[in-house]
């Protein structure tokens, strides 16, 4: 039943710990941070302080629920990056201290690589090579996955991430943080064809979402001049139209990537992969194109230690360990 690895995730505003044994994730403990809601976004200093408050309890719960103790561990894994530097420091420092005290190896994990490898937690798993659309508040990437630890980004955003576009649009509408899930909720009751937004033009398989945010801002400004209650009276149609537009932008590039590579195993990952509009549209396109579609369970979409544990398992098998002088990286390419 080896290896047994404790994994820690602290890249942004969720403190999470997970125990994995012989490639099976035993649990996925997550402590969320409600403190950011009143500020309309994640405050880095508050996030790092909350990690310090939560990390011992979260790790302790993960060990207890696994039925194991720290002496059963073969390695400690942690998110090295990308993420908020202060938040990463908490997880890295805790992992280093625990590994040193137990005299066991330390495993660094790339957060974005782990999102992709979340697809190997459950029974339904893609075959290599496959394409993974990784979408979150900070990243939008199309990743060509050749093996567990061999990945290549073949398309990505050149400005805002799609999750950022959702959240900023929600803020412009006056919705509370986090606004992305609220847009998804309202969109389910709205007319997705009520309003149209312009397309962006980017080379290759790249994305751009900053222009959509600006156009959306001016669209609401102009409509509110005609009707001050425009947003309140049309929130469902506005949400549905914007969501469909953003999802179509993602799927257009994904279709191009599949056609260019000839790959028909298609996965999505990251926080925005929990969006119902993206999930449903991807399934519909998959049926038309003859794709095999892979969508992670909801608990493995947002930041979590289960995916860090899965990535650490494959790194352990390859003997890829880190030295104790390892430092976090705010930016860390796959």
């Amino acid at each position: 039943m080896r290896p047994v690895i404790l994994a820690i995730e602290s890249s942004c505003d969720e403190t999470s710990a997970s125990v994995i044994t012989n490639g099976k994730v035993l649990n996925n403990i997550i402590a969320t941070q409600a403190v950011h809601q009143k500020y309309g976004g994640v405050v880095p200093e508050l996030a790092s302080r909350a990690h310090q408050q939560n990390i011992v309890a979260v790790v302790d719960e993960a060990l207890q629920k696994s039925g194991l103790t720290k002496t059963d561990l073969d390695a400690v894994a942690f998110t090295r990056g990308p993420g908020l530097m202060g938040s990463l420091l908490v997880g890295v420092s805790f992992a280093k201290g625990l590994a040193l005290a137990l005299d066991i190896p330390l495993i660094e994990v790339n957060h974005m690589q782990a999102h992709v490898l979340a697809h190997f937690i459950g029974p339904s798993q893609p075959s290599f090579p496959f394409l993974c659309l990784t979408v979150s508040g900070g990243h939008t990437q199309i990743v060509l996955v050749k093996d567990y630890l061999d990945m290549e980004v073949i398309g990505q955003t050149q400005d805002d991430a799609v999750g950022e576009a959702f959240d900023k649009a929600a803020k412009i509408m006056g919705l509370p943080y986090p606004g992305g899930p609220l847009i998804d909720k309202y969109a389910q009751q709205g007319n997705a064809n009520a309003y149209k937004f312009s397309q962006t033009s980017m080379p290759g398989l790249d994305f751009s979402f900053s222009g959509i945010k600006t156009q959306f801002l001016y669209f609401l400004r102009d409509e509110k001049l005609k009707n001050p209650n425009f947003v309140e009276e049309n929130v469902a149609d506005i949400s549905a139209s914007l969501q469909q537009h953003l999802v179509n932008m993602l799927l257009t590039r994904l279709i191009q990537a599949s056609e260019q590579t000839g790959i028909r195993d298609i996965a999505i990952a990251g926080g925005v992969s929990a969006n119902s509009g993206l999930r449903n549209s991807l399934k519909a396109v998959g049926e038309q194109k003859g794709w095999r579609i892979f969508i992670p369970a909801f608990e493995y979409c947002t930041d979590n230690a289960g995916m860090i544990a899965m990535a650490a398992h494959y790194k352990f098998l390859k003997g890829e360990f880190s030295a104790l002088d390892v430092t976090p990286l705010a930016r860390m390419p796959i």
Side-chain angles (χ1 to χ4, degrees), residues 48-98:
S48 58
R49 290 180 185 180
H51 284 304
Q52 289 179 306
Q53 295 166 357
N54 295 334
I55 192 165
V56 173
V58 167
V59 168
D60 183 59
E61 185 176 350
L63 286 171
Q64 286 193 28
K65 289 193 172 180
S66 71
L68 302 171
T69 68
K70 59 182 182 290
T71 57
D72 295 312
L73 299 176
D74 295 309
V76 180
F78 63 94
T79 301
R80 185 182 183 189
L84 301 175
M85 183 59 76
S87 295
L88 291 167
L89 273 168
V90 176
V92 173
S93 300
F94 187 94
K96 288 163 71 171
L98 185 58

Side-chain angles (χ1 to χ4, degrees), residues 1-5 20-24 68-75 313 316-317:
M1 297 297 292
R2 297 293 179 179
V4 179
I5 303 170
I20 186 171
T21 301
N22 197 31
K24 180 180 179 182
L68 302 171
T69 68
K70 59 182 182 290
T71 57
D72 295 312
L73 299 176
D74 295 309
H313 171 75
F316 186 100
L317 297 181

Side-chain angles (χ1 to χ4, degrees), residues 24-249:
K24 180 180 179 182
V25 174
L26 302 183
N27 52 41
N28 186 36
I29 310 302
I30 302 174
T32 58
Q33 301 177 3
V35 66
H36 306 286
Q37 292 180 357
K38 64 180 178 179
Y39 298 103
V42 176
V43 181
E45 179 61 27
L46 295 180
S48 58
R49 290 180 185 180
H51 284 304
Q52 289 179 306
Q53 295 166 357
N54 295 334
I55 192 165
V56 173
V58 167
V59 168
D60 183 59
E61 185 176 350
L63 286 171
Q64 286 193 28
K65 289 193 172 180
S66 71
L68 302 171
T69 68
K70 59 182 182 290
T71 57
D72 295 312
L73 299 176
D74 295 309
V76 180
F78 63 94
T79 301
R80 185 182 183 189
L84 301 175
M85 183 59 76
S87 295
L88 291 167
L89 273 168
V90 176
V92 173
S93 300
F94 187 94
K96 288 163 71 171
L98 185 58
L100 179 63
L102 297 175
D103 192 26
I104 57 177
L106 196 61
I107 303 174
E108 65 179 73
V109 172
N110 183 303
H111 181 85
M112 300 310 296
Q113 197 174 56
H115 268 305
V116 176
L117 294 177
H119 287 283
F120 295 92
I121 296 176
S124 178
Q125 302 178 0
S127 300
F128 300 113
F130 67 92
L131 295 175
C132 185
L133 174 66
T134 309
V135 280
S136 67
H139 296 82
T140 301
Q141 301 174 334
I142 299 177
V143 183
L144 172 57
V145 187
K146 305 170 188 177
D147 203 347
Y148 297 110
L149 301 175
D150 185 6
M151 305 180 191
E152 177 188 356
V153 177
I154 60 174
Q156 61 187 328
T157 182
Q158 295 300 314
D159 40 61
D160 291 351
V162 68
E164 191 176 0
F166 272 113
D167 284 338
K168 286 183 176 178
K171 191 170 185 178
I172 294 169
M173 292 168 65
L175 301 178
Y177 176 87
L182 287 175
I183 287 182
D184 187 15
K185 176 183 175 181
Y186 288 126
Q188 294 176 39
Q189 282 84 45
N191 175 10
N193 298 310
Y195 308 104
K196 299 296 181 183
F197 303 101
S198 60
Q199 298 290 334
T200 58
S201 178
M202 293 295 291
L205 297 173
D206 286 344
F207 303 90
S208 172
F209 295 101
S210 62
I212 301 301
K213 174 194 66 180
T214 304
Q215 185 196 12
F216 188 73
L217 174 67
Y218 291 145
F219 162 72
L220 289 189
R221 180 200 64 183
D222 295 343
E223 293 297 332
K224 288 168 75 173
L225 287 174
K226 306 172 193 173
N227 176 9
N229 298 318
F230 175 75
V231 174
E232 292 79 1
E233 294 174 1
N234 300 279
V235 63
D237 288 349
I238 297 170
S239 298
S241 299
L242 177 67
Q243 178 168 284
Q244 178 174 269
H245 183 71
L246 294 174
V247 167
N248 286 345
M249 290 176 67

